[in-house]
Structure formats: C-alpha cells, structure tokens
Amino acid sequence: MIVKVRNLVKRYGDLIALDHLSFSIKEGEIFGLLGPNGSGKTTAINCILSLLKYDKGEIEVFGEPMTPEAYHIKRNIGIVMQNVAVFNELTVYENIDYFCGLYIKDKNLKKQLVEETIEFTGLNEYRNFRPKKLSGGLLRRLNIACGIAHKPKLIILDEPTVAVDPQSRNKILEGIRKLNSKGATIIYTSHYMEEVEQICSRIMIIDKGKAIATGTKEELKAMISLGEKITVESYDVSGEQLARLKQLPNIVSVEYSNPLIEIKSSKGKNNLENVLEFIKKENIPFGKIYSELPTLNDVFLEITGKELRD
Amino acid sequence: MPVYNLCMRIIRKNIPSLLIYLFVFVGVSIIVSSSSANPQKAVNEFTRKKADIAFISKDDSPLIEGLRNEIGKIANFIDIPDNKGDLQDALFFRRVVYILRVPEGFAQKFIAGEEVFLEKTFVPGSASSAYIDLSVDKYLNTAKFYLEHMDNISQEGLVAYLNDTLSEEATVTVLPARTKTNLSNLAYTYNYMAYSLSSILILGMSAIMMALNDKDLKNRMSCSPISGTKSNLQFFLACLTFSGAAWLVQIIACFILDLENVMTLNTVFFIISSLVFTFCGTALGYLIGSIVKGTEAIPAITNVVVLGSCFLSGVFVPAELLGKSTLKIASFTPAYWFVKANNQIAQLSQFDLSSLKPVFSDIAVIFCFASAFFALSLLIRKTKRYN
C-alpha cells in the first residue's frame, strides 16, 4: 500500500471535520476523493501531509508512519495545492527550478527535470513570464509543474482544476493520466464528478468527514437502485397521464418541469421501450427523448439525500 | 541552499527600487562633501582688504605723517570736508567706516610724555574699525617704547625706527589638515545612512518576508523535505548577506567620497556604529515584514517610519536646531542614537576610555533597539502561528 489511513478523526472545536475516515491506496492507482465543498477532502489531504495535527487515527505513507519530520517520505511526494502556491517575484522557470531544488540537489539533474516538466506542462512559451502575467489555466499548470517536477512516486492533487477553462482542464486531466502511466500513484480530490469519473481508477465519496462509499465507478453505480434516467421533452401532458406513466413496471418516479418529463426507473429490461409505447398510446406530443445511466451524483443523491453540488 | 538562493533572487528582483535610495545617498554625500570644500578654503586662505577711512590731521609732524603712512597700508583715505554734518553723513552712508582726528600739537605732547588723545568715530561693531584701532595702537605703543628707551631721539629718527620695526611681518600658514568642519561633514554623511540604509534594509527584508509569509507557500514548503530549522537558517543567512552587502556598498561610497579620512580612528568608530545600526535596520525590516500584510503598503510604511524618525533625530536638520521635546521623542528611535554617536565620534580627538564611553553607550542603545525589534518580531510570528 502506498497510503493507509485508519480511523482518522479531526475536530475543529465542536465541528468534526473527519469522522473515523479509513482508506488505503495501492501503487499505480488514481484514487479520487469526491465530495461537496466542506466535506473534508482538503482536511484529509492536509492530515496525510502532516500539515495538520489530527485527534485520532493512523496514517502510513510508503509503509511508514507519516510525521512532520518524515523528510525521507516527503522527498517522494509531490503536492499540488488547491490554492496556487508560487512566487510572484519569480518567473515560470525560476518557480519550477526552486520547487524542484527543494527535492533535488544535483544541479544537472535538476536542470534536466525542470526542462522536462516545462515541456510536459506546455509552459515552454511562458518560461520567462511572471505568474501575474499568466491566465488562470496557465497558472494552474504552473502550480502542477511545481508539484511534479521532481518526479515523485506519489502525487497529491487537491482540486487542481478549480476556476480553469475547459481546454486547460482537459490538458491537465490528460497530463495526470500520463503521469500515472509513467508509474506515479495519484490522489485526486475534486467536487467535479465528471472529472473523477473520467480519470480515477478508484473513488471514495465523502460527506461530512465520513466515507460514504468506496470503489470503482461501476461498483459505486451498482450500489444504488437507480437503473436508468429517461427524459422526454413535451409541452402538452396532463397530470392524469403522468400518474398513469408512474404505474408502468420499474418506474420509480416521474417529475414534470415544463417542458421536461424526468422518469427514473429501477434496474430492469425494456424501460425505455415501455415509456415510448405509453407515449404513443396516449398520443402525447414530444420533441426529444433520451436515456442516461446513473452518474456519481445519483449515487451521492441516493446515499445522502442531497445533490453533490449543494 | 534553495531558500537562501530564493531570498537572493527576490532581492535581485527588487534591486532597481533599492538602488534609488543608494543613488540618493551618494548624491547627498557628494553635495555635502563639495559644499564642505568651501569653508575649508576660507580657513586656509586670507585676503587683505583695505577699509575706507577719513584721516583728519591738525598736526603736520613727521610722527603723524608716519602714522598716516602706516595706516595707509591697511586703509584707503577718503577726503571728506571737516565738518560735523559731512562726517556723520559719511559714516551713516558707509562712505567711510572710521574717522580719525589728530588734534594740533599731538606729536609734541606725545613725545613729551603728556596725556593726549586721538579722536575717533567709527561704525559700531565693524571688524575693519577694530583692525584700524589695533594698527593705531600698535604704532603709538611702539613709538612709546622707543621714546622710553632712547634719549634725545628726533621725530625723523623715531619714524625711521618705527618703519623698520613695523615692516616686520610674521607669516602664518594654516595647514590643510583635518578640521572639525571636515569631520562633522563626514558625520553628516554617516548620519544620512540612517535614511538610506534603513530604507534599503526595510524594503529588502519586507520583500523577502512578504514572499515567504504567504500561507499557501508556507504550507507548500512544509511539504518539502527541507526542515524548518534548515529553512530558517538559510533565511537568516540570506538576510545577513543582504544587510552586509547594503552596508558595505554605502561604506565604500563613504570611503570614496572622503578618501582623506579613511585611515583615521574616527572612521573606525563610524564603521562600528554604522554596522550596529545595520543590525538594527535589519531587525526593524524583519519586524515590519512580520506585521505588514500587503506588498503595496511597504513603501508607504518605510517612508513614514524612516523619514519620520530621521526628521526627528537630526539626520536632515542638525539636532542643535531641534527643540528639546522633539529630541525627547526622537530618543525613542534608533536613528537618534546613531546620529548622536556619529556626532560624538566626529568630535573625538583623543581615544581613551573616558572619551569613548559616551560613544559606546550610544552604540549599546542602538544594539538594544535591534534586540527589542527582533524579540518583538519573534513574538508576533509566534502569536500568528498559534492563531
């Protein structure tokens, strides 16, 4: 195991930020920590990094207890903080060089690693720019470059795509996959379920400091009763028709928010076909009709009773 | 040493703004040293100037003729009609500064040893008048001396002796050696360091502190394999390097501008006081960097703190011209003690323990300020960390 967390408890006065949180991360995984804002993702990361003292529990990194003085462990960890942490006085190159220099003493190796990282993050054109002159996306890339330049075995990315445009976000996600393919184990926290779904091999959903579900995205989706979500666009449907629609087999709920009818069904066969037949039989005029499989948001909703983005 | 190199990089980025203060220092020092050249010239050179006087004589004797010739060496004779109104007007309108009237039979009575008087009228407080007075006294006193010691001497013979004696002149050479003026100008240059050095140190230290005090960067650094102790040591080493370099540049500038006094003991003490003041400026910069939150506020705070203390302490205006209450307030700033120490060093001509004691006590006060600033900064940082 690269990271092992057991019964982690962290309190801020009366508020319990982490409530007996336990998880473990295997080598080569992209482990996603998914949860709404304030769920305890960053607190968990800060405890793993020994930036925060915790009240109870055990943390092991690379098989050894993690302490603030465990510098030999820290040497193999790369961290990309939620807030961009770079020096405004230094250029892009100087920032990466500085952070790489905290881990690498050999000057030639450091130079080579810095050049590779600049190339990897696509910052070559901006190497002499100061951070204040970079766009939000480029700044995030610089933040990542500073965290990964020393080629760590474990990379922790705490919401690295906050306030980033879609193009830069895709580049960042692509980069994270590349880092993983080169052998790095990655811990990725986010409240964007699409991102987590897209790149993580295993996901832990947390809420109010508690782990509410852990597994691959398929495993998580299998945990819930929701099998399919069918949406129909219609401007003319009566309440009686909606009530009859709800009587169909496997249909769990029907909600109408003009012009969309949202039908949720449990797992079963021919759900979409049954709905189409009903619409035809009732002569309900409709525009579009489509079916979706459940998302992590649906998993979160079913388990906690609230939306992931609430 | 990544943290050390980082601090040095931050300083290098701030060099243009720091150089402004250095240029101001060098500029002011050049002005001071060039202005000090003029009083030096006045001390070393003397030009004799003749005063305008009126010489009215009712005695045509050779002795009085000799007196006229003697006074003529230092005065121009202006012809003015011998009436009260004209003479008063001449004095009032400064056509003459001195009127000497020799009464009839003066020489005869003088040689006979009777009590006689010359009538003189002059512009009150005039240096030229005093000079003419001295010349007249010298002539008549010398004449009296000859009359007392030589019997039966004729007036012509007496005048010949007087001319011979009074033509002797002593040559006075004023050596262009160190003078008090010279050293007090040097003290002014060192005093001015209180402004330029403090500004440079506060701006530089604050720039480093602002960068390193950022909460996210601090957390990021804590995740690195560099221990807090190592990081702090590198930071303090960088601060020492920067302060030392800032001090050295200004000291070298002082040396270049006043090569004459480089090899004096006074300079050694100027160096000691400025070095201790550099520690104090560094500690003050550390304190300000620990308190201030935004980089934009730093130049304003630097100006208020440094300019304020320098104005109060007699850096720009001599302390003698400042009021007692002002100086009392100023005594709560290290600049006051630095200026006081420098002014005392400038006055030093003996370097025994009793002469040096006040200088050392002033330097000790500056050191106490440095310790207090540093302790306060540590306290603030610790409080912030716990909060």
Side-chain angles (χ1 to χ4, degrees), chain A residues 230 245-254 263-266 271 274-275:
Chain A
I230 300 159
L245 179 62
K246 206 177 173 185
Q247 303 299 317
L248 293 177
N250 296 332
I251 300 297
V252 178
S253 71
V254 176
I263 305 151
K264 285 182 181 170
S265 67
S266 58
N271 289 336
N274 291 343
V275 171

Side-chain angles (χ1 to χ4, degrees), chain B residues 60-87:
Chain B
D60 290 335
S61 63
L63 182 68
I64 297 306
E65 193 51 38
L67 175 64
R68 189 185 161 90
N69 292 338
E70 185 58 31
I71 295 172
K73 291 176 187 170
I74 57 165
N76 298 317
F77 298 115
I78 307 294
D79 286 331
I80 294 166
D82 185 15
N83 65 64
K84 200 180 171 185
D86 287 339
L87 290 170

Side-chain angles (χ1 to χ4, degrees), chain A residues 15-29:
Chain A
L15 179 85
I16 300 176
L18 296 176
D19 191 357
H20 295 90
L21 190 72
S22 297
F23 62 92
S24 52
I25 301 166
K26 289 176 208 156
E27 194 173 355
E29 271 188 329

Side-chain angles (χ1 to χ4, degrees), chain B residues 34-56:
Chain B
S34 60
S35 69
S36 73
N38 298 330
Q40 189 65 37
K41 203 175 174 185
V43 171
N44 290 340
E45 287 180 12
F46 170 75
T47 310
R48 181 177 281 172
K49 203 178 168 190
K50 287 185 170 185
D52 292 335
I53 71 163
F55 191 92
I56 301 160

Side-chain angles (χ1 to χ4, degrees), chain B residues 9-275:
Chain B
R9 266 181 183 163
I10 292 169
I11 289 295
R12 276 202 293 275
K13 306 273 173 182
N14 283 284
I15 276 182
S17 60
L18 299 179
L19 275 180
I20 293 170
Y21 290 93
L22 184 67
F23 287 142
V24 169
F25 171 71
V26 172
V28 169
S29 305
I30 289 170
I31 292 166
V32 170
S33 57
S34 60
S35 69
S36 73
N38 298 330
Q40 189 65 37
K41 203 175 174 185
V43 171
N44 290 340
E45 287 180 12
F46 170 75
T47 310
R48 181 177 281 172
K49 203 178 168 190
K50 287 185 170 185
D52 292 335
I53 71 163
F55 191 92
I56 301 160
S57 177
K58 301 292 179 189
D59 189 340
D60 290 335
S61 63
L63 182 68
I64 297 306
E65 193 51 38
L67 175 64
R68 189 185 161 90
N69 292 338
E70 185 58 31
I71 295 172
K73 291 176 187 170
I74 57 165
N76 298 317
F77 298 115
I78 307 294
D79 286 331
I80 294 166
D82 185 15
N83 65 64
K84 200 180 171 185
D86 287 339
L87 290 170
Q88 280 180 344
D89 282 352
L91 268 183
F92 183 80
F93 293 109
R94 300 290 189 273
R95 283 183 61 208
V96 293
V97 293
Y98 195 99
I99 301 165
L100 183 67
R101 176 190 287 276
V102 184
E104 199 176 340
F106 176 88
Q108 213 168 6
K109 286 178 185 170
F110 180 79
I111 291 165
E114 290 176 29
E115 197 175 13
V116 281
F117 296 97
L118 292 170
E119 290 173 29
K120 60 176 184 178
T121 318
F122 57 88
V123 174
S126 156
S128 306
S129 310
Y131 191 39
I132 306 264
D133 257 356
L134 281 174
S135 185
V136 172
D137 284 351
K138 189 170 71 176
Y139 184 86
L140 294 177
N141 284 338
T142 314
K144 208 170 182 182
F145 180 81
Y146 276 112
L147 288 169
E148 279 170 5
H149 293 89
M150 295 178 87
D151 296 331
N152 301 324
I153 187 169
S154 67
Q155 274 200 43
E156 289 77 7
L158 178 62
V159 172
Y161 277 121
L162 285 171
N163 286 342
D164 189 37
T165 306
L166 296 175
S167 64
E168 299 253 338
E169 279 186 350
T171 309
V172 177
T173 310
V174 181
L175 294 171
R178 280 189 299 116
T179 63
K180 274 188 177 174
T181 322
N182 209 351
L183 272 175
S184 49
N185 283 323
L186 188 61
Y188 183 84
T189 310
Y190 277 93
N191 287 347
Y192 199 78
M193 276 172 82
Y195 171 67
S196 55
L197 192 60
S198 301
S199 304
I200 290 173
L201 291 175
I202 293 172
L203 283 176
M205 287 292 297
S206 307
I208 299 174
M209 301 277 292
M210 286 288 107
L212 295 179
N213 278 351
D214 182 272
K215 196 186 156 200
D216 294 321
L217 281 166
K218 258 187 183 174
N219 277 344
R220 176 68 188 83
M221 295 276 288
S222 302
C223 300
S224 75
I226 304 257
S227 71
T229 317
K230 263 187 190 174
S231 175
N232 283 340
L233 276 176
Q234 291 184 25
F235 163 74
F236 282 115
L237 189 63
C239 291
L240 281 180
T241 310
F242 162 64
S243 308
W247 171 77
L248 198 65
V249 166
Q250 300 212 15
I251 286 290
I252 290 170
C254 283
F255 283 1
I256 293 169
L257 290 167
D258 191 2
L259 285 169
E260 231 174 78
N261 288 302
V262 170
M263 300 301 282
T264 62
L265 267 175
N266 300 69
T267 300
V268 173
F269 287 99
F270 278 133
I271 289 172
I272 293 170
S273 81
S274 62
L275 187 61

Side-chain angles (χ1 to χ4, degrees), chain A residues 127-164:
Chain A
R127 58 195 299 145
N128 294 321
F129 279 46
R130 294 237 186 142
K132 277 187 177 171
K133 290 200 170 175
L134 299 178
S135 66
L138 289 171
L139 203 55
R140 286 278 165 189
R141 278 198 249 167
L142 171 62
N143 198 31
I144 292 172
C146 292
I148 62 164
H150 59 288
K151 289 225 159 70
K153 288 180 189 164
L154 172 66
I155 302 171
I156 299 172
L157 298 121
D158 190 6
E159 308 227 22
T161 56
V162 172
V164 168

Side-chain angles (χ1 to χ4, degrees), chain A residues 45-301:
Chain A
I45 295 298
N46 286 345
C47 287
I48 292 173
L49 291 167
S50 283
L51 290 176
L52 276 179
K53 281 183 186 169
Y54 43 90
D55 299 289
K56 203 180 147 190
E58 286 163 38
I59 298 171
E60 279 180 20
V61 179
F62 301 123
E64 286 182 57
M66 184 65 182
T67 61
E69 290 78 31
Y71 300 115
H72 61 292
I73 297 177
K74 289 182 178 181
R75 196 168 285 284
N76 290 311
I77 301 175
I79 172 76
V80 178
M81 296 280 193
Q82 187 174 356
N83 296 330
V84 175
V86 293
F87 291 96
N88 287 324
E89 295 81 0
L90 307 185
T91 62
V92 165
Y93 182 90
E94 287 168 340
N95 264 300
I96 301 171
D97 180 70
Y98 169 70
F99 284 106
C100 188
L102 292 174
Y103 299 82
I104 307 290
K105 283 182 183 170
D106 185 299
K107 276 187 179 178
N108 292 330
L109 177 63
K110 184 177 76 172
K111 201 177 172 186
Q112 184 197 326
L113 289 173
V114 172
E115 289 297 342
E116 277 175 21
T117 309
I118 287 178
E119 201 62 46
F120 180 78
T121 47
L123 289 168
N124 210 7
E125 276 177 67
Y126 311 97
R127 58 195 299 145
N128 294 321
F129 279 46
R130 294 237 186 142
K132 277 187 177 171
K133 290 200 170 175
L134 299 178
S135 66
L138 289 171
L139 203 55
R140 286 278 165 189
R141 278 198 249 167
L142 171 62
N143 198 31
I144 292 172
C146 292
I148 62 164
H150 59 288
K151 289 225 159 70
K153 288 180 189 164
L154 172 66
I155 302 171
I156 299 172
L157 298 121
D158 190 6
E159 308 227 22
T161 56
V162 172
V164 168
D165 59 281
Q167 202 185 348
S168 291
R169 180 175 294 184
N170 287 337
K171 278 197 174 176
I172 289 170
L173 297 179
E174 198 185 313
I176 291 168
R177 267 199 224 99
K178 271 188 198 169
L179 286 170
N180 179 246
S181 66
K182 285 179 182 173
T185 305
I186 289 164
I187 302 177
Y188 188 90
T189 82
S190 179
H191 62 270
Y192 296 126
M193 54 177 180
E194 301 88 350
E195 279 180 10
V196 175
E197 240 183 299
Q198 208 178 322
I199 65 163
C200 295
S201 50
R202 215 150 59 85
I203 301 157
M204 184 171 83
I205 301 176
I206 63 170
D207 186 42
K208 291 179 182 170
K210 278 186 186 172
I212 55 173
T214 311
T216 62
K217 59 186 172 191
E218 291 79 15
E219 283 169 349
L220 289 174
K221 285 173 189 176
M223 283 177 192
I224 58 169
S225 57
L226 181 68
E228 207 172 347
K229 208 160 67 179
I230 300 159
T231 309
V232 183
E233 188 190 50
S234 173
Y235 289 90
D236 187 14
V237 60
S238 69
E240 287 161 7
Q241 285 171 320
L242 291 174
R244 280 201 292 278
L245 179 62
K246 206 177 173 185
Q247 303 299 317
L248 293 177
N250 296 332
I251 300 297
V252 178
S253 71
V254 176
E255 278 173 25
Y256 181 60
S257 171
N258 199 355
L260 297 177
I261 308 167
E262 198 172 78
I263 305 151
K264 285 182 181 170
S265 67
S266 58
K267 284 162 195 155
K269 285 180 180 174
N270 309 323
N271 289 336
L272 181 62
E273 199 181 331
N274 291 343
V275 171
L276 273 170
E277 263 177 28
F278 177 81
I279 287 170
K280 209 172 171 184
K281 198 174 117 190
E282 295 280 331
N283 279 326
I284 299 170
F286 68 94
K288 288 183 275 184
I289 184 160
Y290 51 92
S291 164
E292 292 169 286
L293 288 171
T295 62
L296 289 177
N297 190 43
D298 297 314
V299 177
F300 191 80
L301 182 65

